[in-house]
Amino acid sequence: MAREHQATLHDVARTAGVSQATASRVLNGSIRNVRQENVDRVLAAAAELNYAPHLSAQAIARGSTNTVALVVSGVDDPYFASIAGGVTQAAEAAGLIVTMAVADRSPERELQIVRTLRGMRPRAIILTGSRIDGTDTRHALVEELDAYREAGGSVVLISQHDLPFRTVSIDNYGGARQLARALVGLGYRRFAMVRAGAGLRTSRDRCKGFVEGLSEFGIDIDERFVVEAEFSRRGGCAAARELVQRGLDGTELVFAVNDVMAIGVMTAFRDAGLVPGQDVAVAGFDDIGPAVDVDPALTSVTVPLRQVGVRAMQLALSDDDASRIVPVSTNVVLRGSTPGR
Amino acid sequence: MAREHQATLHDVARTAGVSQATASRVLNGSIRNVRQENVDRVLAAAAELNYAPHLSAQAIARGSTNTVALVVSGVDDPYFASIAGGVTQAAEAAGLIVTMAVADRSPERELQIVRTLRGMRPRAIILTGSRIDGTDTRHALVEELDAYREAGGSVVLISQHDLPFRTVSIDNYGGARQLARALVGLGYRRFAMVRAGAGLRTSRDRCKGFVEGLSEFGIDIDERFVVEAEFSRRGGCAAARELVQRGLDGTELVFAVNDVMAIGVMTAFRDAGLVPGQDVAVAGFDDIGPAVDVDPALTSVTVPLRQVGVRAMQLALSDDDASRIVPVSTNVVLRGSTPGR
DNA sequence: TTGAAAGCGATACCAA
DNA sequence: TTGGTATCGCTTTCAA
């Protein structure tokens, strides 16, 4: 019973008393050109030997794989988790296997990952997460992806419409701008902003949208009330502490460029004795699941994350290069963290 | 420049003016048995052609891969996300690529996934998530995994110490028992419990520990106050609503078998006009990140999820079969959701 | 309907 | 230190 290697097609064929070619036909290709009797024998043999086709061998023989590569910045983050969920869902529907790698927000790591992943000859490479602009690394990345695409691979970016590849583009600018309008509508006038490093495109777009939304009403944010922090819960906490230390000085609302930061902000405020939504309002972006579990529930901008993942996968698989950019719109949701004034 | 296929080793060798064997040596194996001049030529050629070794071809030639397969129940869940984070971290440290599949809590799907994954000939298959006991599917799964292992593969289970494979075993029973003790210590006497379906081992163990912990003090939970629900945030919400409808009737504390459910419970209570921690205390299990972001912060049992993932990976890679079971201990953390009475 | 045999892209042994 | 060549597990013509 115990063998040192997995059963091969050869084994199956021998056990079934047919040629390897026939066994191959039964187990994969055109079953209908094989006599029923042989079909049964092969199937029986395969079951008996617990045969599982060697995917690498198939890949090499066929010249293509059933693999899709997904690169995310971090799995812990619910933002990426949701997107990953959508991607895997769509991939499984298409009979594809997803290989996921985590870049941990390092461009170098991301480049290295793409290099490795390319070796798997995946049908598609999907990149998500905001990359840093203007570095050499980025140039190298584009080159790598180009080589991959020229060889017939499909590249899809999520939320990075400035690179020459297919993209699922999230309307960060527009969403933030609408959010600003809505908040002004609620009566807010004095804002603070918590953002990530200037290199992060997503953060930049959201800030820009927010600021320009405010400026429609002649409102602007003093430099003093703009804090830069890590793109994470911890970053949000740190930023809030920083704000408190600098003196809130009448600030009515803090906009954090994403929900995890916003939630961090709320927690830190509470620790500092301020009641979020009451003493100071808070708004985020993404509308991740936990946004409704905090108290008060977090005002945010809905991004259909799971759907973004699904779309990305579909875009990766589609042939026509017409729809190079798939826009995904966003939607303001006002909740308890920003009560009307 | 543009070619229809990725550059092959053959291409590189020809461009460099050396044999394929030499090129192979340079790009992978023993570089030191090659004249420096040739090393340079090959490297240059590889860079020029943007060569990326065909991993499948390597796998087939070498007879082994650099792949590790990870099966989770769902990516959206922070529980799995954290574990996945740990696994990928450890895998990357070992130079391995992680392929992740999502079983969506369906045993059939899980079986199918394992079958497919086996075809990749991964170095290890790591299974996480609580499987349903006693089904045919489970039997088939064990058979599948056995075949894989007999062929030299490494199988690691997370939190399932009842199957004949290496396991990272989380002390669900003990943690829940200690939690019960601690809560009684705080003065609580009347409990309700929110659990998942009876087939889920994790849920069962936690319930058992909790119940037995209470019984040390002669306390038990009336059937009326035990609600079964989906192992998710939504399940927690539904369960809480159910409890409210049945009548809380003096219940002082609700224990949910995991944090996502507990958070759902808190939110639903609040929607029903009850203040969590004040009108009714809530405790969970896992100590996922968001546990400290809700208000009041959630009392829970810490499970070092990320570390669990790392351990699983290490266990998968270790040779000695001595330490078949790696225990991971858990720790009670009391927070605002269970104030002393 | 079937089987023999030629690849697919790499590795590694054996001679040179 | 090099190159020729068998080999890995499978698919896919091409003949029979």
Side-chain angles (χ1 to χ4, degrees):
Chain A
M1 207 61 206
R3 50 160 51 68
E4 243 324 292
H5 66 286
Q6 310 254 16
T8 73
L9 188 58
H10 183 84
D11 299 330
V12 174
R14 211 158 36 78
T15 309
V18 300
S19 79
Q20 222 184 150
T22 300
S24 173
R25 282 189 270 255
V26 173
L27 265 12
N28 298 293
S30 33
I31 320 186
R32 48 182 165 208
N33 308 325
V34 179
R35 213 189 333 153
Q36 186 57 43
E37 193 197 322
N38 280 338
V39 173
D40 296 339
R41 301 168 72 112
V42 171
L43 256 21
E48 186 197 329
L49 298 178
N50 226 323
Y51 171 74
H54 195 305
L55 264 28
S56 287
Q58 289 193 152
I60 213 178
R62 294 213 252 251
S64 75
T65 64
N66 290 315
T67 299
V68 168
L70 172 66
V71 185
V72 300
S73 295
V75 255
D76 275 5
D77 192 326
Y79 177 87
F80 296 110
S82 295
I83 292 179
V87 170
T88 43
Q89 178 189 320
E92 282 167 9
L96 299 172
I97 296 177
V98 178
T99 284
M100 190 174 96
V102 184
D104 270 327
R105 307 204 167 282
S106 148
E108 290 75 26
R109 181 85 194 100
E110 183 172 51
L111 175 58
Q112 188 199 339
I113 285 174
V114 169
R115 253 188 203 134
T116 307
L117 255 29
R118 196 150 77 81
M120 304 185 68
R121 303 292 187 271
R123 287 258 252 277
I125 296 182
I126 299 178
L127 251 41
T128 169
S130 201
R131 266 155 303 291
I132 313 302
D133 292 348
T135 59
D136 297 358
T137 314
R138 195 180 101 145
H139 182 71
L141 180 66
V142 171
E143 208 170 61
E144 198 75 26
L145 291 174
D146 253 331
Y148 170 69
R149 185 178 43 185
E150 265 167 22
S154 176
V155 175
V156 172
L157 266 30
I158 291 179
S159 172
Q160 283 280 303
H161 53 276
D162 53 344
L163 252 34
F165 301 99
R166 296 182 183 184
T167 301
V168 175
S169 175
I170 298 171
D171 187 15
N172 289 312
Y173 174 86
R177 184 154 183 164
Q178 284 203 30
L179 176 64
R181 285 186 191 134
L183 294 173
V184 171
L186 286 176
Y188 292 94
R189 294 294 178 272
R190 311 186 61 172
F191 299 85
M193 197 159 67
V194 173
R195 65 165 194 221
L200 277 174
R201 181 77 198 230
T202 303
S203 171
R204 253 180 24 219
D205 289 349
R206 292 178 181 180
C207 286
K208 187 155 182 260
F210 196 76
V211 167
E212 296 188 0
L214 291 183
S215 72
E216 289 179 26
F217 303 91
I219 300 173
D220 59 20
I221 307 183
D222 190 286
E223 266 308 314
R224 242 176 77 216
F225 300 117
V226 176
V227 182
E228 193 170 306
E230 219 179 59
F231 212 41
S232 67
R233 185 187 167 284
R234 271 189 25 209
C237 287
R241 266 183 257 117
E242 172 75 24
L243 276 171
V244 170
Q245 198 165 5
R246 289 191 195 171
L248 246 25
D249 208 10
T251 299
E252 298 162 349
L253 186 149
V254 178
F255 166 59
V257 292
N258 71 9
D259 283 355
V260 293
M261 292 180 98
I263 290 175
V265 167
M266 284 178 68
T267 302
F269 274 160
R270 195 177 293 117
D271 289 348
L274 295 166
V275 179
Q278 200 167 308
D279 296 329
V280 54
V282 178
F285 205 113
D286 286 338
D287 195 19
I288 58 177
V292 299
D293 291 320
V294 294
D295 184 40
L298 183 65
T299 284
S300 189
V301 179
T302 300
V303 179
L305 263 7
R306 212 183 162 83
Q307 203 187 113
V308 166
V310 172
R311 285 280 163 72
M313 192 66 245
Q314 292 169 340
L315 187 54
L317 263 29
S318 81
D319 316 295
D320 80 298
D321 221 39
S323 52
R324 200 179 76 67
I325 293 187
V326 173
V328 169
S329 59
T330 52
N331 241 308
V332 175
V333 262
L334 299 175
R335 300 204 180 94
S337 70
T338 58
R341 300 176 63 85
Chain B
M1 206 59 205
R3 52 161 49 69
E4 241 327 289
H5 67 286
Q6 310 254 14
T8 73
L9 188 58
H10 182 85
D11 298 331
V12 174
R14 210 158 36 79
T15 311
V18 301
S19 78
Q20 223 182 145
T22 298
S24 174
R25 283 188 271 257
V26 173
L27 264 12
N28 297 291
S30 32
I31 319 186
R32 47 181 166 210
N33 308 325
V34 180
R35 213 189 332 153
Q36 186 58 43
E37 191 197 323
N38 281 336
V39 172
D40 296 341
R41 301 167 73 112
V42 171
L43 256 23
E48 185 196 330
L49 297 178
N50 226 320
Y51 171 75
H54 194 306
L55 263 29
S56 288
Q58 288 194 152
I60 215 178
R62 293 214 252 251
S64 75
T65 64
N66 288 318
T67 299
V68 168
L70 172 66
V71 184
V72 300
S73 295
V75 256
D76 275 5
D77 192 325
Y79 177 88
F80 297 110
S82 295
I83 292 179
V87 169
T88 42
Q89 179 190 318
E92 282 168 9
L96 298 172
I97 296 177
V98 179
T99 285
M100 189 174 96
V102 183
D104 269 328
R105 307 205 168 281
S106 148
E108 291 74 27
R109 182 87 194 97
E110 184 173 51
L111 174 59
Q112 188 199 338
I113 285 174
V114 169
R115 253 189 202 132
T116 308
L117 255 30
R118 196 150 76 80
M120 303 185 68
R121 304 290 186 274
R123 286 258 253 277
I125 295 182
I126 300 177
L127 251 39
T128 169
S130 200
R131 265 154 304 290
I132 313 302
D133 292 347
T135 59
D136 297 357
T137 314
R138 195 179 99 145
H139 181 71
L141 181 66
V142 170
E143 208 170 61
E144 199 74 26
L145 292 174
D146 253 331
Y148 170 69
R149 185 178 44 184
E150 265 166 22
S154 177
V155 176
V156 172
L157 266 27
I158 291 180
S159 171
Q160 284 278 303
H161 52 276
D162 52 345
L163 253 34
F165 301 100
R166 296 182 183 185
T167 301
V168 175
S169 176
I170 298 170
D171 188 14
N172 289 312
Y173 174 86
R177 184 156 184 161
Q178 284 204 31
L179 176 64
R181 284 187 193 134
L183 294 173
V184 172
L186 286 177
Y188 292 94
R189 294 295 177 271
R190 313 186 60 174
F191 298 86
M193 197 159 68
V194 174
R195 65 165 193 223
L200 279 173
R201 180 78 198 228
T202 303
S203 170
R204 253 179 26 219
D205 290 349
R206 291 177 181 180
C207 286
K208 188 155 181 260
F210 195 74
V211 167
E212 295 187 2
L214 292 184
S215 73
E216 288 178 27
F217 302 92
I219 300 173
D220 57 21
I221 306 183
D222 190 286
E223 266 308 314
R224 242 174 78 217
F225 298 118
V226 177
V227 182
E228 194 170 307
E230 218 179 59
F231 211 41
S232 68
R233 185 187 167 283
R234 269 189 26 208
C237 286
R241 267 183 255 116
E242 173 75 24
L243 276 171
V244 170
Q245 198 166 6
R246 289 190 195 173
L248 245 26
D249 208 10
T251 298
E252 298 162 351
L253 186 149
V254 178
F255 166 59
V257 293
N258 73 8
D259 283 356
V260 291
M261 291 180 99
I263 289 175
V265 167
M266 284 179 68
T267 302
F269 274 161
R270 194 177 293 116
D271 290 348
L274 295 166
V275 179
Q278 198 166 309
D279 298 327
V280 55
V282 178
F285 204 114
D286 286 339
D287 195 19
I288 57 177
V292 300
D293 291 319
V294 295
D295 182 42
L298 183 65
T299 285
S300 189
V301 179
T302 301
V303 179
L305 263 7
R306 213 183 160 83
Q307 203 188 112
V308 165
V310 172
R311 285 280 163 73
M313 193 65 246
Q314 292 169 339
L315 187 54
L317 264 28
S318 83
D319 315 296
D320 81 298
D321 221 38
S323 54
R324 201 181 74 68
I325 293 188
V326 173
V328 168
S329 59
T330 52
N331 240 310
V332 175
V333 260
L334 299 174
R335 300 204 179 94
S337 70
T338 59
R341 296 178 62 86

